[in-house]
Amino acid sequence: YQLTTETSTYPKPSITFIIRPFKGITHNIHNLLINSPPGPQSFPVTLEGPYGHAGNLKNADSILCIGGGIGITALLAYVQSYTESRRAGTSEASRLVLAWSYCEREFEAVAKDMIPVDAKNLGVECIWAFTGEQGGTQGRLPVAEILSAEVAGVRRLAVLVCAPGPMADGVRREVVEKVGTGAMIDYHEDSFAW
């Protein structure tokens, strides 16, 4: 659910929440929204965090973000930061690849709306794989191929991962196999499981 809209609609800054309702508070928020009139809704929210730290991307020639499912939310912040630094001329990286595997179509439109409109012109490439059962481009994200393509021709690659455990483990294995084959790889992993 998108609780507030992008800043292009409202002149003041806003925050967008992407929520997959399960039990507890996410279920309560879901019920609040479906029982409310159409349009933006206001209600108090307490935010906790952030946890961990942001990956240091300052020395990277290229950035590879790999996400699975709701893990796209952490990576979209890096896309935003990258595009802002490219506009300001302060980014060492000339390219950012956002590779995302997802099985719920509802997230696709929300994620696309959160990518800056000039992202492609600033060096952002999106590689998305729908893994659900409702048709479309199906299959697994070809992580090994994507990583090999990004390692070729760069001195330093930053790899950021936010995905379910098995997917993150697979990306880590692929990165380990590439260590020592040319480019320096800085690996950063974020987790959304608790």
Side-chain angles (χ1 to χ4, degrees):
Y1 294 98
Q2 189 166 340
L3 301 183
T4 62
T5 58
E6 295 180 36
T7 56
S8 60
T9 304
Y10 295 99
K12 60 184 179 180
S14 65
I15 298 174
T16 299
F17 292 88
I18 301 174
I19 300 171
R20 179 190 295 161
F22 285 112
K23 299 176 187 173
I25 194 161
T26 57
H27 178 74
N28 293 343
I29 292 170
H30 172 79
N31 285 340
L32 175 71
L33 292 173
I34 61 172
N35 293 316
S36 298
Q41 301 299 315
S42 296
F43 54 91
V45 175
T46 301
L47 297 178
E48 185 178 334
Y51 299 104
H53 60 281
N56 182 358
L57 311 179
K58 292 184 184 204
N59 299 317
D61 300 322
S62 184
I63 302 165
L64 173 59
C65 298
I66 300 176
I70 198 69
I72 188 74
T73 56
L75 301 177
L76 287 169
Y78 286 102
V79 173
Q80 182 68 37
S81 176
Y82 170 80
T83 55
E84 288 172 4
S85 65
R86 289 284 289 169
R87 284 187 208 113
T90 59
S91 176
E92 292 291 323
S94 60
R95 176 177 166 81
L96 182 145
V97 174
L98 177 60
W100 180 40
S101 175
Y102 61 100
C103 64
E104 296 178 64
R105 279 266 187 237
E106 298 81 21
F107 287 151
E108 180 180 16
V110 174
K112 280 184 180 178
D113 286 346
M114 295 180 75
I115 294 175
V117 294
D118 60 346
K120 186 175 181 179
N121 294 336
L122 294 170
V124 175
E125 178 185 347
C126 295
I127 302 170
W128 291 4
F130 176 65
T131 60
E133 298 178 8
Q134 302 168 355
T137 306
Q138 293 188 336
R140 296 283 173 210
L141 196 60
V143 172
E145 292 173 33
I146 294 168
L147 183 59
S148 292
E150 290 310 303
V151 166
V154 297
R155 288 181 0 268
R156 191 169 199 148
L157 175 67
V159 178
L160 302 138
V161 180
C162 189
M167 184 178 183
D169 292 344
V171 172
R172 190 179 320 104
R173 273 191 300 276
E174 294 295 335
V175 167
V176 167
E177 287 184 20
K178 298 289 185 235
V179 171
T181 62
M184 281 220 23
I185 302 174
D186 295 325
Y187 180 81
H188 307 274
E189 187 174 323
D190 200 349
S191 174
F192 56 85
W194 53 87

